Amino acid sequence: AQKVTQAQTEISVVEKEDVTLDCVYETRDTTYYLFWYKQPPSGELVFLIRRNSFDEQNEISGRYSWNFQKSTSSFNFTITASQVVDSAVYFCALSEGDTGGFKTIFGAGTRLFVKA
Amino acid sequence: EAGVVQSPRYKIIEKKQPVAFWCNPISGHNTLYWYLQNLGQGPELLIRYENEEAVDDSQLPKDRFSAERLKGVDSTLKIQPAELGDSAVYLCASRSGNTGELFFGEGSRLTVL
């Protein structure tokens, strides 16, 4: 069965601090996809990144970076030099390919507060 | 390109009343999802369509919830009768193919009194 765990319910940082959001997943498939979405106060979920199970290369996009480690079933998200505009709820998601029919399930989310 | 459009944005009804939500996905996206999001939680899948076929409705409470996507484009999600516990945000999402990211609408926030 597929499962996504985001153990951090809320994180509060001061602007310019670095922050890492943790995501641990469970799947029996060999083909799967991992995602991060951002949900600002306006409510619409915005896609940030997708990773497939065969590509463990870490990725950096501006102040955002992602660390995918299959050995620990983790897909962590780091924001460098956080800004107030980063305040939102962040969701990690998993989509299984082999047996899951590509159903996408979400973690419970981590609410990030960035204070000025 | 227009995004996923949902309506209404907000709906307040009394319990036992019916309610319907509408979703128009991104043009060309064959896969459409309805998710339920309770306060402080992640989205939970209700139903997934591939074109007009519901391929995963195992999480849809079929005694009161129904959905349709008759022409494989826009979709309607209905609740009849609504219960207090149905108060939540109903999210629609679409994607092209099986492996891409989901594109979400702004959601329909339901309050049942």
Side-chain angles (χ1 to χ4, degrees), chain A residues 33 35 37 39 42-45 47 50 91 95 100-104 106-108, chain B residues 33 35 37 40-43 45 48 56 91 95 98-102 104-106:
Chain A
Y33 299 83
F35 305 82
Y37 289 84
Q39 188 173 41
S42 61
E44 186 171 341
L45 280 97
F47 166 77
R50 178 187 69 157
F91 291 98
S95 183
F102 299 102
K103 179 170 76 173
T104 302
F106 289 78
Chain B
Y33 302 76
Y35 282 88
Q37 187 176 24
Q41 298 183 24
L45 181 67
R48 175 167 69 101
D56 185 353
L91 297 167
R95 73 175 170 189
N98 282 328
T99 61
E101 67 271 24
L102 271 64
F104 282 86
E106 292 181 299

Side-chain angles (χ1 to χ4, degrees), chain A residues 20-60:
Chain A
T20 295
L21 310 182
D22 297 333
C23 173
V24 174
Y25 63 92
E26 292 179 28
T27 178
R28 280 180 271 185
D29 280 6
T30 55
T31 302
Y32 55 90
Y33 299 83
L34 294 163
F35 305 82
W36 275 95
Y37 289 84
K38 174 181 180 180
Q39 188 173 41
S42 61
E44 186 171 341
L45 280 97
V46 176
F47 166 77
L48 295 177
I49 190 172
R50 178 187 69 157
R51 257 307 186 244
N52 74 58
S53 52
F54 301 107
D55 182 5
E56 280 191 80
Q57 223 174 6
N58 292 329
E59 182 158 336
I60 298 175

Side-chain angles (χ1 to χ4, degrees), chain A residues 2-115:
Chain A
Q2 54 180 164
K3 185 177 179 182
V4 176
T5 301
Q6 294 179 255
Q8 304 150 306
T9 305
E10 287 187 2
I11 300 176
S12 184
V13 299
V14 177
E15 208 170 20
K16 299 183 183 177
E17 283 186 21
D18 298 347
V19 59
T20 295
L21 310 182
D22 297 333
C23 173
V24 174
Y25 63 92
E26 292 179 28
T27 178
R28 280 180 271 185
D29 280 6
T30 55
T31 302
Y32 55 90
Y33 299 83
L34 294 163
F35 305 82
W36 275 95
Y37 289 84
K38 174 181 180 180
Q39 188 173 41
S42 61
E44 186 171 341
L45 280 97
V46 176
F47 166 77
L48 295 177
I49 190 172
R50 178 187 69 157
R51 257 307 186 244
N52 74 58
S53 52
F54 301 107
D55 182 5
E56 280 191 80
Q57 223 174 6
N58 292 329
E59 182 158 336
I60 298 175
S61 177
R63 296 184 297 106
Y64 295 172
S65 62
W66 291 270
N67 184 347
F68 176 26
Q69 291 195 344
K70 288 177 75 170
S71 60
T72 56
S73 296
S74 65
F75 186 43
N76 296 336
F77 172 28
T78 298
I79 302 175
T80 303
S82 59
Q83 299 176 2
V84 173
V85 294
D86 296 326
S87 297
V89 182
Y90 291 86
F91 291 98
C92 180
L94 166 69
S95 183
E96 287 180 328
D98 296 332
T99 62
F102 299 102
K103 179 170 76 173
T104 302
I105 66 162
F106 289 78
T110 297
R111 183 176 296 275
L112 175 64
F113 295 97
V114 181
K115 296 178 285 189

